[in-house]
Structure formats: C-alpha cells, structure tokens
Amino acid sequence: EGWGTYSQIRKGKQQDHTLEVKYGKLKVQHIRLEKNEKVKNVSLTLGNEKVTVEVIQQDNAIQISLAQPMILQPGQVLMVQMS
C-alpha cells in the first residue's frame, strides 16, 4: 500500500535499521532482521516515541514483534537499534 526507504548502518557491535514511508501507508507488526552475534539490547522508536516490543533470537535471526500492528504514514520513521 505504500513505498519508502530502508537503510542499515553497522558500527562495531551496534546496528541501526531505519524504515521511512515516503508514500501511502505500511502496516507493521513483525520485523525480522539478522545479526551475526547475540543481541543484548533492542530498541524500536517511531519518531521520538519508544515502542514496546518482544524480541526472540534464534541463531542469527531476530524476530521483533509489536503487541498491536502500527500503521506508518508518509514522513514517519521507524528505527530499530540493536547491540
């Protein structure tokens, strides 16, 4: 229903993933990412607001789940930070 940009930045053990909707809308409830080592901290923010998530790591796969789906609108930025 929409499109936008995704970026990933790695700095040492820190990984930042950014998703920005440019047009339309995007429904998000689960995000799956990879990290080559054990994740100790995961935070998800929408703009300046921290979002509560459940995180499950199985090998290199990290499953991030929100209690309720969220609808991202144009201009909104969702950021996942992992270390």
Side-chain angles (χ1 to χ4, degrees):
E1 291 185 49
W3 58 268
T5 59
Y6 167 81
S7 66
Q8 176 188 49
I9 298 172
R10 293 181 185 197
K11 297 178 192 170
K13 295 187 178 198
Q14 176 79 26
Q15 273 186 217
D16 295 341
H17 303 265
T18 305
L19 182 63
E20 181 175 2
V21 176
K22 300 286 188 180
Y23 177 83
K25 59 186 177 182
L26 178 66
K27 181 179 177 181
V28 177
Q29 186 166 13
H30 304 284
I31 301 170
R32 185 178 169 105
L33 300 168
E34 290 191 10
K35 190 161 182 3
N36 292 333
E37 53 198 32
K38 181 78 174 153
V39 173
K40 295 178 184 169
N41 297 304
V42 175
S43 69
L44 188 141
T45 54
L46 178 60
N48 293 326
E49 294 189 32
K50 195 165 188 167
V51 179
T52 302
V53 295
E54 177 185 354
V55 178
I56 299 172
Q57 182 169 5
Q58 187 173 30
D59 298 322
N60 292 348
I62 294 95
Q63 175 78 28
I64 302 166
S65 299
L66 288 73
Q68 299 290 328
M70 72 170 45
I71 307 293
L72 301 179
Q73 302 293 336
Q76 289 188 304
V77 177
L78 185 70
M79 176 174 277
V80 178
Q81 294 181 304
M82 299 188 299
S83 58

